Amino acid sequence: MIAESVLVLFGIGLGSALLLALASRLLYVYEDPRVARVEQCLAGANCGACGYPGCPGAAQAVVAGKAGANVCVVGGPASAKAVAEIMGLTVEEREPERAWVDCTGGRRAEAVYRYEGVADCRAQHLFHNGAKMCPEGCLGLGSCVAACQFDAIRMGPDNYPVVDPERCVACGGCAQACPRGVISILSMSARLTHLNETSDCLAPCRQKCPGQIDIPRYIQQLRRGDVAGAVLTIKERNPLLLVCGRVCPRPCETACRRNHVDSPVAINMLKRYAADWEMNSGARLHIPCAPDTKRRVAVVGGGPAGLSCAYFLRRLGHSPTIFESMPLLGGQLRYGIPEYRLPKAVLDWEIEGILELGVEVRTGLRFGRDIGLESLRAEGFEAVFLGIGAWLSSAMRVEGEDSEGVMAGTEFLTRVGLGADTGLGKKVVVVGGGNTAIDAARTSVRLGAEATIMYRRSRQEMPANDEEVLGAEQEGVKFMFLAAPTRVLTGPSGRAEALEYVQMKLGEPDASGRRRPEPVPGSETTIQADTIIAAIGQKPELACLYLPDQTCPLEETKWRTLAADPDTLQTSLPDVFTAGDMFTGPNLVIGAVGGGRRAARSIHQFLTQGAVTRPDKLQRDMIPYTLFSNVQDVRPRQRAETPHLCHGRERTCTFAEIEGPLNADQALAESCRCLHCGLTCYDRDPEPGAA
Amino acid sequence: MEYFLLIIAAIFVNNIVLAQYLGNCPFLGCSRATGTAVGMGGAVIFVVTLATAITWLVQKRLLEPMGLEYLQTIAFILVIAALVQFVEMFLKKVLPPLYRALGIFLPLITTNCAVLGIAIICQRKEYGLLKSVVFAAASAAGFMLALVLMAAIRERLDTARVPRALRGMPIGLILAGLMSLAFFAFSGMIA
């Protein structure tokens, strides 16, 4: 009986074994032995960050040729090299990515209610979209910390997650766990090309800045003493921080929540402090650039828009070439802004830093004469950026305008900038109320003339910055308000001798909200003037776009600017992009810088993806619920005052720089005034002197 | 009607997991996510049905004629293990999509007591071949039902506040106990 049962079991076993042996022959499926070897080289974390189902899936994809050698984000370059050796591939250089936390609110954000028993952000999010007033911010329950397999996220002291960049492998687990989209996995290129979206943590200043600089972040870095970090934060949005730190009219400060308590944070002085710190430190900070793509882009115009566009294209890995008609780069920064506001040495240092990244420059080439769209395309440029600015001065449209002694504001400032003879007389009348008019008047004073500004509206309506108007008054510039020129009176030599003008009165408000000036009949008067400078507006010179047979391949607007999509800045030709004054008409430097970056983003997408995309939640206007009518629990604190470098005769007779930088103590004190706002939250009652 | 009652009884009244306590290992191990639970359940239905048919033949054609009924357990284990291996190879070659869906679960079933249990129950109750196969499929469906229910509850459990000492397996066992109690409501419905 024992023998029988043993035999039967042995028989069943043998039968099964034979059957399986036969089956393994008949049903054999070939599996590449390299799959197992490749899998050995991967990290084995099965994190899924590569997009394949675990490491075995990734290994199969590599062998099947669907994935590159650098498929494993956790293993990094070592893994990529090992895989490449097995597969006989070369490793493609890939830009590293890191988790990026956008929220700054955390504990400060006001709670709607507290639902006891929910210990997970995702569950919390199901109840009224979370328990915080801020619809976008962190819920602070740490689902991302639990999701991270690499121990790279912890909850910071303010109860929002802090990423350890050394440990983060960009697997994306945290971003998937977060129901609010607070965490995203971004490469540097993605950060550089990101446009403000309404779901970002946008403090009012960040919404207002045309350059979309992350202002709270860099002020926070200054507060911690990390000036280099602050410079790099600014440079992710603005390569011209020395320039903007000096000349920016600071739209951001008008949006500052401190306006409801005392006066806005001196944001621009802090930017200048950081920028000057880098210049005076003696060494440039290293600016990382994405791996080279060898894609060539022509940037026409070396002004702020062109410099910004070239800078961002270079950082995105492309090879831009700037074409400039003037002998030196800088555009209106060099030839429009006088030395006493922006010293040329400072501008040169800043431009040099941009060019050192690997931007090629060809000067003395004028678009429409020496180069054109066709010649650029023929030379192998895959996209063209047009940023030639707005250099054409508007005419006063009065009799005698063409006489000797009458010139345009930009022309005058350009000649001063070039060091050429200006033919300036002793009594100068500047017509206009913008910054160009003020610059022209203050420059005339420094050249030894007596300057008067004639403006057809009153002081409140002047578009020039308040500080500039004040500075001009202090330097002895006279102002004539409610006066408009009617005729230039010339002497026997044909040279201007006087200007006839008419008194104006303010009538009904027009479309721009300003009251429309109307002439008072019979009030004509004359004023002695041997030089008349017309600074009443500029527009782009679009004639260069016209081909010899009088056609223009690009569309223009009724304001005589280049037409383009306002979000993507793509013109009617898909490979031509624009930004700056050429697109917007005369505008701020920071507007041109921001436009240059947006154009660089579009060009980057055009080159790499073939089409330009537009984010759905693009922030265009201020987000209404972030605008407060008052802020509570904030003590008033004295705003830093602009230090002046020179006074008296030195100021009015030389072109020495007037405004100076803050010192370290002032900068620290000013950075502590920042409320570090999020969309709805802000620091209540910061500790005095807290660092 | 007889088969209808047989199916209802196998799924609800005598649920293989919750009333007979068989197959607890995959019940707790593969119930973290509903997707996995469905895959595992599918694999179990597939294997159990096939295994019951084969073991029925082994019992009736091999063991009983030779008077070796006492070898039932060990013979069934051998046959089922070989069968699962064979099925795995067969699917990989002939039906790759099904292999990708069920593949990783198949080895887990090789030594599963639910599979063996169902095969033996059929013999004890002396069902015919067709009845055995229907009973096996229904019992496996009951297993799948329990598994999917458990996974759905555990997915919600992930976001609940569970005392630290009870997190993971302990709360899973408590949950299994409660589900078992709930399924006792069916007992006696079908004699």
Side-chain angles (χ1 to χ4, degrees):
Chain A
M1 192 160 130
I2 290 181
E4 205 179 16
S5 48
V6 169
L7 275 176
V8 167
L9 279 181
F10 184 76
I12 296 177
L14 191 70
S16 311
L18 286 175
L19 186 75
L20 288 178
L22 192 68
S24 68
R25 262 297 164 85
L26 289 177
L27 303 176
Y28 175 68
V29 178
Y30 175 77
E31 194 174 56
D32 199 319
R34 290 180 300 177
V35 173
R37 286 174 63 205
V38 167
E39 200 184 327
Q40 291 278 308
C41 305
L42 307 179
N46 280 320
C47 61
C50 52
Y52 295 99
C55 298
Q60 275 173 10
V62 171
V63 174
K66 289 182 201 150
N70 50 12
V71 65
C72 186
V73 296
V74 180
S79 150
K81 209 173 149 219
V83 174
E85 261 172 39
I86 293 170
M87 299 299 298
L89 299 169
T90 50
V91 184
E92 271 177 58
E93 206 181 339
R94 190 168 65 170
E95 219 188 330
E97 295 183 324
R98 286 292 170 264
W100 182 259
V101 179
D102 192 43
C103 176
T104 59
R107 193 166 280 136
R108 303 179 306 170
E110 281 179 80
V112 183
Y113 65 93
R114 174 140 186 88
Y115 179 85
E116 289 296 339
V118 174
D120 181 276
C121 301
R122 288 158 291 188
Q124 182 80 270
H125 187 69
L126 293 173
F127 297 97
H128 298 272
N129 288 332
K132 294 279 171 67
M133 288 291 278
C134 174
E136 314 291 350
C138 174
L139 295 173
L141 294 173
S143 289
C144 48
V145 178
C148 184
Q149 296 179 42
F150 303 95
D151 208 11
I153 296 194
R154 60 186 172 79
M155 286 317 264
D158 297 320
N159 210 30
Y160 59 83
V162 177
V163 178
D164 178 353
E166 300 294 315
R167 288 190 168 181
C168 179
V169 300
C171 69
C174 50
Q176 253 173 13
C178 182
R180 297 290 202 124
V182 164
I183 308 180
S184 30
I185 304 298
L186 296 176
S187 62
M188 182 192 68
S189 296
R191 287 211 308 279
L192 291 178
T193 55
H194 181 81
L195 303 180
N196 277 359
E197 289 176 26
T198 48
S199 54
D200 296 341
C201 181
L202 295 175
C205 49
R206 251 182 104 179
Q207 299 174 35
K208 190 86 180 180
C209 176
Q212 305 192 343
I213 303 174
D214 193 344
I215 295 165
R217 189 182 292 266
Y218 82 73
I219 296 188
Q220 177 85 340
Q221 284 165 324
L222 286 177
R223 196 191 299 193
R224 295 200 196 110
D226 179 14
V227 190
V231 171
L232 292 176
T233 300
I234 300 170
K235 285 191 176 181
E236 288 207 343
R237 288 291 178 271
N238 180 359
L240 299 173
L241 58 172
L242 281 166
V243 171
C244 287
R246 284 167 168 76
V247 304
C248 191
R250 312 181 292 272
C252 53
E253 292 184 15
T254 62
C256 182
R257 287 198 181 132
R258 263 213 178 261
N259 277 314
H260 301 300
V261 181
D262 40 25
S263 46
V265 175
I267 298 171
N268 205 41
M269 287 193 223
L270 289 173
K271 185 192 296 111
R272 171 158 181 190
Y273 170 76
D276 280 16
W277 173 88
E278 191 203 1
M279 185 171 64
N280 298 330
S281 70
R284 286 181 201 278
L285 293 174
H286 171 71
I287 304 291
C289 294
D292 260 327
T293 62
K294 311 273 182 216
R295 313 292 289 267
R296 296 175 70 210
V297 180
V299 174
V300 179
L307 285 169
S308 161
C309 185
Y311 165 86
F312 285 106
L313 284 171
R314 182 65 208 110
R315 284 195 72 179
L316 293 169
H318 308 298
S319 306
T321 303
I322 299 180
F323 294 87
E324 169 62 52
S325 63
M326 295 294 235
L328 289 168
L329 291 182
Q332 288 284 2
L333 304 177
R334 184 178 300 277
Y335 300 110
I337 300 179
E339 174 83 16
Y340 61 88
R341 281 177 71 196
L342 176 63
K344 300 287 176 278
V346 171
L347 179 65
D348 288 339
W349 197 85
E350 186 127 285
I351 292 173
E352 201 184 293
I354 295 171
L355 302 186
E356 274 179 11
L357 296 177
V359 176
E360 208 187 309
V361 179
R362 295 190 212 160
T363 52
L365 292 174
R366 194 175 191 85
F367 189 74
R369 187 188 67 198
D370 309 310
I371 49 170
L373 288 178
E374 282 316 310
S375 71
L376 290 174
R377 283 185 190 135
E379 217 194 298
F381 290 105
E382 293 176 70
V384 178
F385 171 80
L386 290 179
I388 58 168
W391 288 65
L392 202 63
S393 295
S394 303
M396 293 188 285
R397 278 180 261 169
V398 297
E399 195 186 313
E401 192 168 4
D402 303 324
S403 330
E404 200 188 327
V406 182
M407 59 182 134
T410 47
E411 186 192 339
F412 167 65
L413 291 170
T414 305
R415 278 197 213 158
V416 176
L418 284 169
D421 177 37
T422 57
L424 194 75
K426 283 285 148 203
K427 286 184 79 69
V428 177
V429 172
V430 181
V431 181
N435 279 325
T436 310
I438 306 275
D439 285 344
R442 292 178 76 179
T443 301
S444 309
V445 168
R446 281 166 175 74
L447 294 173
E450 203 175 292
T452 307
I453 288 178
M454 180 182 287
Y455 181 50
R456 61 194 181 127
R457 301 180 211 233
S458 65
R459 169 130 185 201
Q460 283 92 322
E461 284 88 19
M462 277 183 93
N465 306 347
D466 261 352
E467 299 80 38
E468 292 298 308
V469 179
L470 209 67
E473 273 179 342
Q474 285 165 359
E475 288 164 16
V477 174
K478 292 198 207 72
F479 286 87
M480 292 171 66
F481 292 110
L482 295 168
T486 49
R487 192 152 58 106
V488 177
L489 303 171
T490 50
S493 63
R495 194 184 159 87
E497 278 186 347
L499 183 66
E500 186 189 84
Y501 64 95
V502 62
Q503 289 291 331
M504 309 291 275
K505 66 174 196 299
L506 291 177
E508 292 303 305
D510 63 3
S512 72
R514 298 188 299 180
R515 292 171 71 189
R516 187 193 298 277
E518 290 158 5
V520 181
S523 65
E524 283 84 356
T525 329
T526 54
I527 178 173
Q528 289 290 312
D530 47 14
T531 304
I532 294 153
I533 298 175
I536 54 172
Q538 289 149 251
K539 55 191 178 217
E541 199 168 0
L542 296 184
C544 63
L545 298 174
Y546 286 84
L547 300 173
D549 55 358
Q550 291 299 302
T551 61
C552 173
L554 290 160
E555 287 168 21
E556 56 181 77
T557 66
K558 60 178 175 177
W559 299 282
R560 299 273 299 141
T561 57
L562 191 57
D565 182 304
D567 293 325
T568 64
L569 299 171
Q570 194 169 24
T571 63
S572 48
L573 296 177
D575 62 339
V576 179
F577 299 81
T578 185
D581 287 357
M582 186 182 194
F583 170 64
T584 58
N587 209 323
L588 311 179
V589 176
I590 187 66
V593 169
R597 185 178 74 91
R598 283 190 291 142
R601 169 190 178 273
S602 297
I603 293 171
H604 176 67
Q605 291 190 340
F606 176 75
L607 292 181
T608 55
Q609 300 162 19
V612 185
T613 61
R614 192 192 313 254
D616 311 327
K617 295 182 285 182
L618 208 59
Q619 177 243 329
R620 297 184 180 88
D621 308 310
M622 299 294 282
I623 305 170
Y625 70 84
T626 64
L627 304 177
F628 298 164
S629 53
N630 63 68
V631 294
Q632 274 151 14
D633 304 329
V634 176
R635 273 198 304 268
R637 298 177 73 185
Q638 186 67 40
R639 176 185 155 111
E641 280 187 29
T642 315
H644 280 210
L645 292 176
C646 56
H647 306 274
R649 276 192 56 78
E650 191 198 350
R651 175 165 161 187
T652 50
C653 298
T654 70
F655 280 91
E657 190 175 13
I658 300 172
E659 291 181 0
L662 298 175
N663 63 35
D665 292 340
Q666 286 171 311
L668 181 62
E670 192 60 32
S671 67
C672 291
R673 289 183 73 228
C674 176
L675 301 179
H676 197 219
C677 301
L679 281 164
T680 60
C681 56
Y682 54 88
D683 277 347
R684 285 157 196 268
D685 210 10
E687 290 301 313
Chain B
M1 193 62 194
E2 189 198 349
Y3 282 98
F4 177 74
L5 284 179
L6 181 75
I7 292 170
I8 294 298
I11 294 181
F12 295 104
V13 184
N14 296 315
N15 187 292
I16 190 81
V17 188
L18 296 171
Q20 318 213 37
Y21 313 117
L22 290 172
N24 264 311
C25 171
F27 177 60
L28 290 167
C30 288
S31 57
R32 291 218 157 267
T34 3
T36 330
V38 170
M40 181 68 184
V44 167
I45 293 179
F46 187 77
V47 169
V48 163
T49 313
L50 214 57
T52 306
I54 300 283
T55 52
W56 193 91
L57 291 173
V58 168
Q59 174 83 10
K60 298 289 180 214
R61 294 282 174 267
L62 188 72
L63 299 179
E64 279 182 13
M66 297 180 82
L68 292 171
E69 289 92 342
Y70 59 90
L71 283 179
Q72 190 188 48
T73 311
I74 192 161
F76 279 17
I77 291 177
L78 248 171
V79 170
I80 292 171
L83 174 75
V84 173
Q85 291 294 313
F86 179 78
V87 166
E88 193 181 344
M89 282 190 256
F90 181 79
L91 287 185
K92 198 170 182 180
K93 178 79 178 179
V94 181
L95 287 168
L98 192 63
Y99 174 74
R100 274 196 290 277
L102 303 181
I104 56 167
F105 302 109
L106 287 174
L108 292 175
I109 307 169
T110 315
T111 53
N112 186 338
C113 59
V115 184
L116 184 66
I118 293 169
I120 291 178
I121 289 169
C122 288
Q123 298 305 328
R124 296 226 175 125
K125 292 195 173 173
E126 307 202 325
Y127 290 155
L129 179 59
L130 181 65
K131 207 169 174 186
S132 292
V133 169
V134 172
F135 173 78
S139 293
F143 177 84
M144 183 170 173
L145 174 74
L147 195 63
V148 172
L149 285 177
M150 180 73 165
I153 297 175
R154 284 181 85 172
E155 276 184 354
R156 277 156 189 73
L157 212 59
D158 278 344
T159 62
R161 292 230 297 212
V162 178
R164 185 172 289 275
L166 293 181
R167 278 181 203 164
M169 198 52 82
I171 194 77
L173 285 168
I174 293 174
L175 205 60
L178 291 173
M179 285 173 72
S180 189
L181 278 177
F183 266 72
F184 262 111
F186 293 113
S187 77
M189 256 173 66
I190 296 163

